[in-house]
Amino acid sequence: MEYNEIVTQVIEFLGTFAFAISGIRHAAAKHFDWFGGYVCGIAVAIGGGTIRDVMLGTTPFWMTNPIYMICTAFALIFVIIFSKHMEGLRNTWFFFDTLGLALFTIAGIQKSLLFGHPYWVGIIMGCITGSAGGVIRDVLLNNEPVIFHKEIYAMAAILGGITYWILDILHLPIEITVISSFCVTCLIRFLAVKYHLSLPTLKNE
């Protein structure tokens, strides 16, 4: 297994756990049972990556390794154990959601490049991998998808992807490229929430 493939798998494992916690937390807020929480966790954790792999014409990543299902199970246990502290851990949940966005964006870019696609496709796939799971989660929870009406979410993934593209073109070490892309995505997300930044809304006048 090549080094880049190992890095991609590690990133996907971490992103799975982070996103699963995010999905299960939203399910808990809706008072779903444990199974419902697990389904929502799975939806966020593998939804974007599944869409990406189908578009890339390959077997969805979670069908070749059960670790993603296991990661989601551990995430469910984590949320159950700390359920009494859910409200107090709000900042922690936001951290996990942002972490998952950044990690999955990178994973989507790297997998697209491994399949020989150009960078612009990689950036789109990175955005889908990072944000589509949240859309599926919101649909399951009967909520309006967050990325369509408030906060800068998908755009953070796109800008993080552009950062990856630029640094890779400059032939910087993969570690620096990955860390920089991760930091840019997280920083934009943190600043957008802290300062209530959002894209202009469409007017129906």
Side-chain angles (χ1 to χ4, degrees):
M1 182 179 296
E2 294 183 0
Y3 177 74
N4 285 350
E5 293 180 350
I6 295 175
V7 172
T8 300
Q9 286 195 0
V10 171
I11 289 172
E12 285 187 339
F13 294 159
L14 294 174
T16 297
F17 186 75
F19 262 13
I21 287 180
S22 171
I24 295 167
R25 188 264 297 185
H26 281 82
K30 287 275 190 174
H31 304 292
F32 279 30
D33 62 19
W34 288 8
F35 178 75
Y38 184 82
V39 170
C40 284
I42 283 290
V44 181
I46 70 173
T50 300
I51 295 174
R52 173 204 65 205
D53 288 347
V54 170
M55 295 180 72
L56 292 177
T58 186
T59 303
F61 66 102
W62 57 269
M63 296 178 67
T64 61
N65 194 332
I67 190 65
Y68 303 100
M69 300 298 180
I70 297 172
C71 279
T72 303
F74 278 118
L76 177 64
I77 294 171
F78 179 88
V79 174
I80 291 171
I81 292 175
F82 294 101
S83 61
K84 294 182 179 179
H85 307 285
M86 289 286 290
E87 190 64 25
L89 294 174
R90 179 178 297 180
N91 290 335
T92 303
W93 305 134
F94 169 69
F95 170 79
F96 275 121
D97 188 68
T98 302
L99 179 68
L101 173 65
L103 291 171
F104 267 29
T105 296
I106 295 169
I109 293 171
Q110 290 186 329
K111 192 161 190 176
S112 299
L113 296 180
L114 285 174
F115 274 74
H117 291 285
Y119 276 105
W120 66 270
V121 174
I123 293 172
I124 293 174
M125 291 300 165
C127 181
I128 289 174
T129 308
S131 60
V135 175
I136 297 173
R137 173 204 65 206
D138 291 339
V139 171
L140 290 175
L141 295 174
N142 198 29
N143 296 330
E144 290 185 5
V146 174
I147 70 169
F148 295 148
H149 65 90
K150 66 178 181 179
E151 300 181 0
I152 293 178
Y153 194 87
M155 281 303 300
I158 292 174
L159 293 175
I162 292 174
T163 300
Y164 189 106
W165 181 4
I166 294 173
L167 296 183
D168 201 37
I169 289 177
L170 296 175
H171 302 293
L172 293 180
I174 184 66
E175 295 85 358
I176 295 178
T177 300
V178 167
I179 292 173
S180 298
S181 177
F182 174 86
C183 290
V184 167
T185 304
C186 290
L187 182 62
I188 292 173
R189 176 79 174 130
F190 289 146
L191 292 176
V193 172
K194 181 177 181 179
Y195 295 105
H196 306 288
L197 304 176
S198 62
L199 296 175
T201 59
L202 294 171
K203 304 297 183 181
N204 184 22
E205 297 176 351

